Amino acid sequence: MAIPAVNIVETSAVEFSHGAGSPNSLDGIDLKIARGEFVALIGRNGSGKSTLARHLNAILLPTGGVVRIKGMDTRDEPNVWDVRRGVGMLFQDPDNQIIGTTVEEDTAFGPENLGLSPEVIRERVRAALHAVGMADHAESAPHLLSGGEKQRLALAGVLAMGPELIILDEATSMLDPSAREEIMDLLRRLNREEGITLLHITHRMDEAALADRIVIMDAGRIVLGGTPGEVFSNASLIRELGLELPPVTELFDLLRQDGFDLPAGITDADEALEALMAINSGRMGHVHINQ
Ligand SMILES: Nc1ncnc2c1ncn2[C@@H]1O[C@H](COP(=O)(O)OP(=O)(O)OP(=O)(O)O)[C@@H](O)[C@H]1O
Ligand SMILES: [Mg+2]
């Protein structure tokens, strides 16, 4: 039996041009994503994030270099079906991904195309709707759902295919704050409990900060990568790349500029509180939080 590749994604020197004469949208991308990782991909508009995402499920093929998914070269025609099945994609507008007339029928659409038996399809649909908290809506008409419910339904359709990697291309950008939080919680749970690898493309730095690792693109290249703490410690570089810091990191950066002795790259409210308490206790000998 073949040993499964450790890296679910492995690209080497990937180049892509939309046509003769147009500049490379991808310009030498070397990216590895290990199984089970949660990676956020950020970068200004037009930096190549969606173009890269489309290479990872063989919608686009590189004009130079190699993309391997689970060790399979996406340019080899016989691999394309396995690549597409293993890599699910969720986009900004769930309406473009919903086709069924009921929630259940919509979720069954993908597994039906895999040629599975009716019992297996039913079980996959049940499990997927349960996972996204939509089991009670199985008979509902998708067009009557809220935006957040529609996106969870689209995610159920992706899950029912049994993907190992899910790519979210700005899949939270149309959602209100509570629906966005629900989807992010759900994704983190799928990542931790089911071991599903995530590549989350987002313009929201607070969402990127939830990932294990952040990769930043600019002009078709990967220009920075590391843990959220490492990446967001480079405040001036982040701004030069047309990005913002997460709100907490931004606040701490301002305080640091004002001379407060605080660590750089704090991205999480709990860490922030701890750092503030450390300062406060250092100065006063004890902590005043509510004053
Ligand atoms: N169909 C196309 N034909 C020609 N050029 C294209 C096409 N699609 C994208 N591009 C170009 O490729 C580059 C990368 O675009 P891409 O959509 O991958 O960026 P992105 O990082 O996803 O941006 P955004 O944050 O706006 O979604 C851009 O310069 C864009 O203009
Ligand atoms: Mg895009």
Side-chain angles (χ1 to χ4, degrees):
M1 213 177 89
I3 300 165
V6 175
N7 290 318
I8 196 152
V9 171
E10 194 155 345
T11 79
S12 133
V14 167
E15 291 181 13
F16 182 77
S17 162
H18 279 282
S22 52
N24 276 354
S25 297
L26 299 180
D27 196 15
I29 299 283
D30 293 310
L31 175 66
K32 289 185 180 139
I33 300 178
R35 274 172 200 281
E37 257 194 302
F38 174 7
V39 178
L41 178 59
I42 61 177
R44 70 173 104 222
N45 291 131
S47 55
K49 304 178 299 294
S50 297
T51 306
L52 176 58
R54 290 194 193 104
H55 277 75
L56 304 186
N57 78 343
I59 298 174
L60 292 177
L61 298 176
T63 46
V66 184
V67 174
R68 288 184 196 280
I69 302 297
K70 298 193 284 172
M72 296 179 287
D73 187 331
T74 57
R75 289 170 309 178
D76 292 344
E77 184 62 34
N79 291 338
V80 168
W81 176 241
D82 274 341
V83 166
R84 296 235 169 105
R85 203 172 46 172
V87 181
M89 286 190 80
L90 204 62
F91 300 96
Q92 190 168 15
D93 186 354
D95 281 331
N96 295 337
Q97 262 176 295
I98 293 171
I99 34 187
T101 54
T102 68
V103 161
E104 195 167 44
E105 186 190 304
D106 188 77
T107 312
F109 189 78
E112 273 164 4
N113 283 332
L114 295 178
L116 302 167
S117 71
E119 298 80 60
V120 174
I121 293 172
R122 224 173 293 129
E123 175 50 27
R124 282 203 179 195
V125 169
R126 191 203 61 75
L129 289 178
H130 177 75
V132 303
M134 291 290 288
D136 293 341
H137 291 77
E139 304 301 325
S140 304
H143 69 276
L144 298 177
L145 301 175
S146 71
E149 288 167 339
K150 281 183 187 172
Q151 196 56 295
R152 283 191 280 142
L153 170 58
L155 179 57
V158 168
L159 285 176
M161 298 291 282
E164 289 164 78
L165 166 66
I166 299 181
I167 302 175
L168 303 122
D169 193 349
E170 302 192 33
T172 56
S173 60
M174 288 174 65
L175 304 180
D176 68 27
S178 70
R180 190 184 302 135
E181 202 177 318
E182 259 174 30
I183 282 273
M184 290 310 298
D185 285 349
L186 181 55
L187 290 166
R188 285 212 290 181
R189 191 153 46 80
L190 290 168
N191 174 248
R192 287 184 189 153
E193 294 173 14
E194 314 285 329
I196 293 178
T197 310
L198 297 178
L199 181 63
H200 181 44
I201 299 174
T202 181
H203 284 284
R204 294 197 56 103
M205 299 304 122
D206 52 345
E207 287 181 6
L210 299 173
D212 301 324
R213 176 158 66 102
I214 297 179
V215 171
I216 304 188
M217 286 185 72
D218 196 47
R221 295 166 186 262
I222 291 175
V223 290
L224 192 63
T227 63
E230 285 164 356
V231 162
F232 289 126
S233 308
N234 300 287
S236 52
L237 178 56
I238 293 290
R239 292 187 188 109
E240 271 168 43
L241 293 168
L243 300 168
E244 292 171 347
L245 297 173
V248 172
T249 323
E250 178 76 45
L251 174 64
F252 267 48
D253 194 53
L254 291 172
L255 289 169
R256 279 156 50 83
Q257 285 174 30
D258 277 350
F260 283 86
D261 182 21
L262 287 164
I266 282 200
T267 58
D268 165 290
D270 290 338
E271 277 175 52
L273 184 58
E274 225 168 86
L276 288 173
M277 284 168 75
I279 280 201
N280 202 9
S281 59
R283 218 175 259 163
M284 317 277 212
H286 58 279
V287 180
H288 295 277
I289 292 185
N290 295 320
Q291 292 179 20

